[in-house]
Amino acid sequence: MSQVPHHIAIVMDGNGRWATRRYLPRVAGHKQGVDALNRCVRACAARGVAVLTVFAFSSENWNRPVEEVSGLMELLAMALSREVPKLKAEGVQLHFVGERAGLSDKVSAGLAQAEAVTAHNTRLVLNVCFNYGGRWDIAQAAARLAAQGQPVTEVSLDRAMALAHVPDPDLLIRTGGEQRISNFLLWQAAYSELYFSDSLWPEFDEAELDAAIAAFNRRERRFGKTSAQLAGVASAQKVA
C-alpha cells in the first residue's frame, strides 16, 4: 500500500546554476526558488505530508559573494512580507531553524513574527533552516545540556535539538544532481531514505515530488532489523 512520508526534508540545490544557464544573476535563481518552494508547500499539504523541512541558507553560505548574500537577505525580507500571510491562510505553521545571533535585528524580528502569527496552524509544519548547519545543531544541543547540568545521552541530545518539535524525516530529497547532504540534519537523517534528483530546484514540481514519494514507497525501511523480522511483525499485526 502506498504511503505518504510523514516528514519530508529537502536540500533545495541548483538556484544559482538555473540562473547562470539563462545568463541571469544568481539572485534571479533564488527568486525562482521561492516560487518552487511555494509549489512544494502546497503539493505536500495536498498529499497529506505533515512536516516539510527545507535547507534555505546554510551557515557556510556566508562565504558566498557579498552581492549574493545581500540579495538573499533582501529576498528573505520580501518573502516574509509577501508569503507569510498566504501561508497563515493556508494553515501552515512556520518555524525558522538556525543560529540567529549573526542576523540583523530586523531579520530576527521578522522571523519571530512569522512564527508567532502561524503558531496555531495545524495543516502543515514548515521548518525553514536558515543560517543552519547540522554540526552547529549538535554542538548547540550539547552546550545547552551542559549549561543545564544534564547528562548528554542520545535521548537528552535528541530533545535538545533545534528540530525536537517534529519527528525525524522519513525522506530526504536533494535536487540539483549532487549526491551529498552538505551538513543538513546530520543527527535527524540517521534513518532517512535519501533521494537525489537531477532537476535544479526552480524546476522541481509536483511530478518530481511524486517521483520521490514513489521511490520512497519502493524502499524497505528496516531500522536495523531483517526483512524476515519485519514480515513477522506485519503478520502479527494482521492477526491482531
Side-chain angles (χ1 to χ4, degrees):
M1 182 176 67
S2 179
Q3 291 185 331
V4 175
H6 181 87
H7 181 177
I8 294 177
I10 305 178
V11 179
M12 305 181 296
D13 191 25
N15 292 335
R17 281 174 286 159
W18 181 92
T20 300
R21 292 176 185 179
R22 289 160 177 78
Y23 303 100
L24 297 170
R26 289 176 62 86
V27 172
H30 295 303
K31 289 180 180 178
Q32 289 295 319
V34 173
D35 293 339
L37 177 56
N38 285 334
R39 288 197 305 269
C40 189
V41 168
R42 292 179 177 88
C44 284
R47 286 155 179 73
V49 175
V51 183
L52 174 63
T53 300
V54 297
F55 206 4
F57 188 85
S58 77
S59 49
E60 290 82 15
N61 286 158
W62 292 108
N63 297 319
R64 291 191 173 189
V66 174
E67 62 272 14
E68 182 176 354
V69 173
S70 176
L72 282 167
M73 293 302 128
E74 292 177 7
L75 184 59
L76 173 63
M78 180 191 72
L80 287 173
S81 63
R82 188 183 71 183
E83 304 299 337
V84 170
K86 298 177 186 177
L87 294 172
K88 179 184 178 182
E90 293 169 7
V92 177
Q93 182 185 123
L94 267 168
H95 293 264
F96 290 92
V97 181
E99 176 61 68
R100 298 192 188 183
L103 304 179
S104 70
D105 292 341
K106 181 179 179 180
V107 169
S108 294
L111 301 184
Q113 183 180 13
E115 290 177 330
V117 300
T118 62
H120 299 294
N121 286 346
T122 57
R123 188 181 183 199
L124 173 75
V125 175
L126 173 59
N127 300 305
V128 179
C129 292
F130 192 85
N131 198 22
Y132 171 90
R135 291 179 176 179
W136 163 84
D137 197 4
I138 295 170
Q140 69 81 28
R144 183 188 304 181
L145 293 174
Q148 296 171 350
Q150 297 186 36
V152 177
T153 66
E154 284 194 26
V155 173
S156 66
L157 201 59
D158 187 67
R159 291 173 179 170
M161 288 287 174
L163 280 162
H165 59 283
V166 293
D168 291 344
D170 304 292
L171 172 64
L172 192 156
I173 301 168
R174 179 173 184 142
T175 64
E178 304 289 356
Q179 298 190 10
R180 56 180 180 270
I181 59 175
S182 296
N183 199 21
F184 183 48
L185 306 183
L186 297 182
W187 177 272
Q188 296 87 350
Y191 277 99
S192 300
E193 297 298 323
L194 305 182
Y195 180 86
F196 300 103
S197 169
D198 288 330
S199 293
L200 303 177
W201 176 245
E203 302 164 345
F204 193 84
D205 57 13
E206 292 85 349
E208 289 282 347
L209 177 65
D210 288 338
I213 293 174
F216 171 81
N217 274 290
R218 292 193 293 270
R219 312 277 179 88
E220 182 182 63
R221 307 190 73 201
R222 295 190 295 273
F223 298 98
K225 296 180 180 179
T226 66
S227 297
Q229 285 177 302
L230 293 178
V233 171
S235 298
Q237 290 175 339
K238 288 181 180 180
V239 172

